[in-house]
């Protein structure tokens, strides 16, 4: 029986990919949560076809492709990722991937790619057996992480096309926290630099929240260079750059989330939280704005530049009821 290995750190994404395999295709399905597990599974003879995510902990998709070449493992790889930057496509193709499919994967799109690359033709039917699928685990946190991962990829792609850069996309960090814990969530930023920040509210049906955009002050010179701005990068120029970057990332990311949840977010006017301050100062002076909240942290970096920014989506606890209802279909069999 043909062996398919699905490698993704998200349980929801693994299940989606498994459900999108052709109905009439008798396969043995295996799962891996990161590239390290996938490599070990392939060494055990699993995974004639590997459906591979790019952004994962421990060993990401790029490292996994490099390891496949180094270990000379016999597998066909189709990358399934929310990172839709053209350069990401080129990089995985250069590392031997057959093709690239955008998250969330659909059954017709996956079948088309499998047919186009001759994967379905390689199937040799043997003894029928039931595919193994992960037990249903209603882990709503994983759902938030997955839809955010896709939205973050769309925002990164938008940023990459506008600035002609490659955007590094780490894994979203999702937590239900008190506002007093925000500084702990963002302590990595605090240790490195002073920052400037923008906050923008958004509302949807039964949902309200705020997007907090934070840019390290040391990033402004490189951001100005990328944007083709000559001359002194004073506070006014920095504020314009901050507003432009926040507008791109917040708008695209919220649109990405809204499209997956089949709803619409209205955005308020952006508010400057402060310039050239520590993250603690930025949060403490605005702490009355937030209470107990679902916090989704997204960290962006630009390859080859000293640019680091964070986008934190803060959703009220009441909003989670509507959000969870919208997400419930992702956990359906």
């Amino acid at each position: 029986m043909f062996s398919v290995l699905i490698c993704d750190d998200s349980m929801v994404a693994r299940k989606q990919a498994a459900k999108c395999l052709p109905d009439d295709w008798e396969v043995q399905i295996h799962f891996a949560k990161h590239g390290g597990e996938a490599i070990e599974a392939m060494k055990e003879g699993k995974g004639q076809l590997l459906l591979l995510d790019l952004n994962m902990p421990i060993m990401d998709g790029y490292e996994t492709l490099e390891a496949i070449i180094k270990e000379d493992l016999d597998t066909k790889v189709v990358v399934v990722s929310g990172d839709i930057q053209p350069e990401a496509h080129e990089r995985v193709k250069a590392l031997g991937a057959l093709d690239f499919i955008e998250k969330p994967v659909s059954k017709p799109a996956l079948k088309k790619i499998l047919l186009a690359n001759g994967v379905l033709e390689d199937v040799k039917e043997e003894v029928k057996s039931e595919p193994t699928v992960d037990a249903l685990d209603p882990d709503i946190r994983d759902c938030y992480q997955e839809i955010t991962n896709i939205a973050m990829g769309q925002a990164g792609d938008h940023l990459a096309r506008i600035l002609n850069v490659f955007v590094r996309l780490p894994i979203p960090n999702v937590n239900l926290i008190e506002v007093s814990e925000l500084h702990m969530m963002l302590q990595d930023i605090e240790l490195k630099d002073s920052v400037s920040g923008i906050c923008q509210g958004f509302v949807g049906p039964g949902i309200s929240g705020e997007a907090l955009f934070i840019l390290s002050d040391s990033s402004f010179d490189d951001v100005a260079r990328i944007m083709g701005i000559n001359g002194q990068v004073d506070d006014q120029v920095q504020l314009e750059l901050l507003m432009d970057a926040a507008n791109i990332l917040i708008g695209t990311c919220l649109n990405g989330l809204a499209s997956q949840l089949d709803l619409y977010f209205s955005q308020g006017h952006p508010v400057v939280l402060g310039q050239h301050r520590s993250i603690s100062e930025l949060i403490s002076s605005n702490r009355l704005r937030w209470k107990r909240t679902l916090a989704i942290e997204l960290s962006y970096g630009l390859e080859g530049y000293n640019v680091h920014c964070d986008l934190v989506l803060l959703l009220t606890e009441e909003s989670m009821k509507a959000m969870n209802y919208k997400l419930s279909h992702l956990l359906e069999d």
Side-chain angles (χ1 to χ4, degrees):
M1 177 169 292
F2 198 79
S3 174
V4 177
L5 176 61
I6 299 172
C7 180
D8 198 303
D9 61 308
S10 165
M11 177 270 292
V12 172
R14 293 195 299 271
K15 288 184 62 176
Q16 277 190 324
K19 288 192 289 187
C20 288
L21 291 171
D23 293 329
D24 55 351
W25 195 18
E26 296 190 7
V27 294
Q28 183 81 39
I29 305 175
H30 309 279
F31 297 102
K33 297 175 184 174
H34 53 77
E37 288 187 0
I39 294 297
E40 290 305 313
M42 285 183 277
K43 288 180 179 177
E44 296 172 1
K46 302 172 183 174
Q48 291 167 275
L49 169 67
L50 171 62
L51 300 181
L52 178 66
D53 185 27
L54 289 182
N55 297 317
M56 297 179 289
I58 301 177
M59 179 183 283
D60 65 22
Y62 299 106
E63 294 169 330
T64 306
L65 288 167
E66 291 171 350
I68 289 171
I69 295 173
K70 183 179 179 181
E71 300 285 344
D72 193 24
L73 297 171
D74 184 18
T75 185
K76 296 179 178 178
V77 183
V78 173
V79 169
V80 181
S81 176
D83 187 350
I84 56 176
Q85 300 176 72
E87 189 167 340
H89 292 221
E90 295 171 6
R91 290 188 183 192
V92 299
K93 289 287 190 67
L95 290 170
L98 287 178
D99 219 321
F100 191 109
I101 187 168
E102 180 182 335
K103 282 186 175 180
V105 61
S106 70
K107 185 170 288 190
L110 180 57
K111 187 172 184 177
K112 182 179 179 181
I113 282 179
L114 296 179
L115 286 170
N117 290 283
V119 178
L120 283 177
E121 295 175 359
D122 289 344
V123 176
K124 301 259 192 290
E125 291 196 1
E126 298 177 5
V127 180
K128 289 185 177 181
S129 66
E130 292 297 323
T132 58
V133 181
D134 274 355
L136 179 64
D137 178 7
D139 188 349
I140 205 69
R141 180 180 179 278
D142 192 58
C143 291
Y144 283 109
Q145 188 174 60
E146 181 57 17
I147 63 169
T148 307
N149 188 40
I150 293 172
M152 186 175 71
Q154 294 170 346
D157 177 65
H158 192 187
L159 193 65
R161 290 176 188 275
I162 291 175
L163 302 180
N164 193 28
V165 295
F166 185 76
V167 182
R168 295 192 300 270
L169 302 174
I171 300 166
N173 185 20
V174 181
N175 290 289
L176 184 62
I177 61 173
E178 299 286 345
V179 67
S180 60
E181 298 171 304
L182 257 180
H183 74 282
M184 295 176 62
M185 184 176 179
L186 302 172
Q187 61 184 353
D188 186 54
I189 305 173
E190 184 161 38
L191 292 174
K192 292 178 180 174
D193 206 352
S194 60
V195 298
S196 299
I198 295 282
C199 187
Q200 187 168 17
F202 58 92
V203 295
I207 299 169
S208 63
E210 288 188 282
L212 175 62
F213 176 77
I214 301 167
L215 182 64
S216 299
D217 285 349
S218 59
S219 302
F220 279 116
D221 285 343
D222 272 7
V223 172
R225 184 155 59 96
I226 294 168
M227 301 285 279
I229 295 175
N230 299 315
Q232 184 181 3
V233 184
D234 56 21
D235 281 359
Q236 183 57 40
V237 173
Q238 291 183 8
L239 183 58
E240 292 174 5
L241 293 172
L242 182 68
M243 295 290 280
D244 287 344
N247 183 53
I248 293 171
L249 285 181
I250 293 174
T252 311
C253 196
L254 287 178
N255 286 337
L257 288 174
S259 64
Q260 294 176 80
L261 298 173
D262 192 26
L263 49 80
Y264 175 78
F265 289 132
S266 297
Q267 296 174 226
H269 294 292
V271 176
V272 179
L273 295 175
Q275 285 183 273
H276 318 311
R277 304 165 70 176
S278 71
I279 194 67
S280 292
E281 292 173 328
L282 210 65
I283 292 172
S284 61
S285 60
N286 294 277
R287 61 185 306 145
L288 295 179
R289 300 169 66 93
W290 306 305
K291 297 179 180 177
R292 185 171 170 81
T293 179
L294 177 75
I296 303 174
E297 183 193 7
L298 312 167
S299 296
Y300 289 86
L302 303 185
E303 189 172 276
Y305 296 95
N306 178 30
V307 176
H308 179 87
C309 60
D310 282 69
L311 176 61
V312 185
L313 302 178
L314 303 169
L315 292 153
T316 63
E317 196 171 13
E318 293 76 16
S319 299
M320 290 187 65
K321 184 179 293 184
M323 292 281 287
N324 292 354
Y325 175 76
K326 289 286 187 180
L327 291 171
S328 59
H329 73 282
L330 294 176
L331 294 172
E332 294 175 353
D333 283 324

